[in-house]
Amino acid sequence: MIEQPREFTIPAGRARMWRMQAGERVTITQTEGHQVGDFIAFNAADLTEFLSTSHTRSCLRTLRIGRGHSLYTNRREPIVEIVEDTVGIHDILAAACDPYRYQRDFGVEDHRSCRMNFVEALAELDIPDWRVPDPVNLFQNTPVQPDWSYSSAASVAKAGDYVTLLTRMDLIAACSACPQDLAPTNAGHLSDLRVRLH
Ligand SMILES: [Zn+2]
């Protein structure tokens, strides 16, 4: 197996995949700020078990995740725990951006998207787009209003802000530095994310 780099960059608008063992930590850091990172993870031993935002919501009974929260799989097992978080504003409501979002809402063909970024990054696993799980959208700002509606606002993350996840099982993870430049999500400017395994 190819030695996996312990530090690497997710280029703006692209995704990267990596493998981790239980007990390892990954820190995902802003370079310039306001950059959302869609995060997905699979049980490395069984790809039918994966990080699930719907199960995470059901297990935690909250719409807001941050330091101290475990995130759960579709079998209600903790897969990662947020052990450090300098932002505290993330999203477990929204779907990944996909070609339909850019076509239907913005009339743009062939825009990069988090969903297709994951298909690209996970090519060795041969996962079709419809099997990509809904991601945990790190650093994404989705304020929920008193009338239960929610909006899509610019990420409040600043340069140097980070999240550290402790893994609870051997996993295959991927993160997409969201290419959304037509909605407020990334404050109109795409930037790289840095990943460090430790
Ligand atoms: Zn996206």
Side-chain angles (χ1 to χ4, degrees):
M1 207 171 108
I2 307 159
E3 186 71 22
Q4 178 169 277
R6 304 297 290 176
E7 280 197 63
F8 53 93
T9 295
I10 304 171
R14 307 270 165 161
R16 289 287 180 270
M17 182 196 103
W18 66 92
R19 294 169 191 272
M20 297 180 73
Q21 294 179 334
E24 282 191 296
R25 290 163 194 246
V26 58
T27 299
I28 300 172
T29 304
Q30 296 284 320
T31 57
E32 298 174 41
H34 310 296
Q35 178 62 54
V36 167
D38 288 28
F39 177 84
I40 61 174
F42 297 86
N43 177 345
D46 179 356
L47 298 183
T48 67
E49 182 173 24
F50 50 86
L51 170 59
S52 162
T53 47
S54 57
H55 291 83
T56 295
R57 292 193 300 267
S58 291
C59 290
L60 293 178
R61 304 269 169 193
T62 182
L63 302 179
R64 184 172 179 179
I65 55 165
R67 191 163 68 88
H69 280 137
S70 287
L71 309 180
Y72 291 84
T73 71
N74 55 319
R75 295 183 196 157
R76 298 179 189 253
E77 290 288 333
I79 182 167
V80 294
E81 180 185 336
I82 302 173
V83 291
E84 293 180 298
D85 176 11
T86 63
V87 182
I89 302 286
H90 310 284
D91 170 82
I92 50 173
L93 293 175
C97 65
D98 50 42
Y100 312 107
R101 166 78 165 136
Y102 295 104
Q103 287 161 5
R104 293 172 66 104
D105 297 341
F106 303 101
V108 177
E109 301 288 336
D110 299 324
H111 197 287
R112 292 198 70 87
S113 68
C114 288
R115 180 163 294 273
M116 299 314 291
N117 278 352
F118 286 130
V119 172
E120 195 174 278
L122 298 166
E124 70 182 75
L125 305 182
D126 204 20
I127 290 179
D129 71 287
W130 59 267
R131 258 188 66 200
V132 173
D134 286 341
V136 169
N137 300 308
L138 297 172
F139 310 114
Q140 185 162 327
N141 185 9
T142 306
V144 178
Q145 312 300 332
D147 70 355
W148 296 62
S149 66
Y150 64 88
S151 54
S152 178
S155 170
V156 299
K158 304 179 299 296
D161 274 332
Y162 61 92
V163 166
T164 300
L165 305 173
L166 169 65
T167 64
R168 292 301 192 190
M169 59 180 73
D170 292 358
L171 56 80
I172 295 171
C175 184
S176 170
C178 178
Q180 176 57 276
D181 53 1
L182 303 172
T185 318
N186 300 301
H189 173 70
L190 306 182
S191 54
D192 299 347
L193 293 171
R194 283 292 293 167
V195 176
R196 184 166 65 90
L197 306 178
H198 51 112

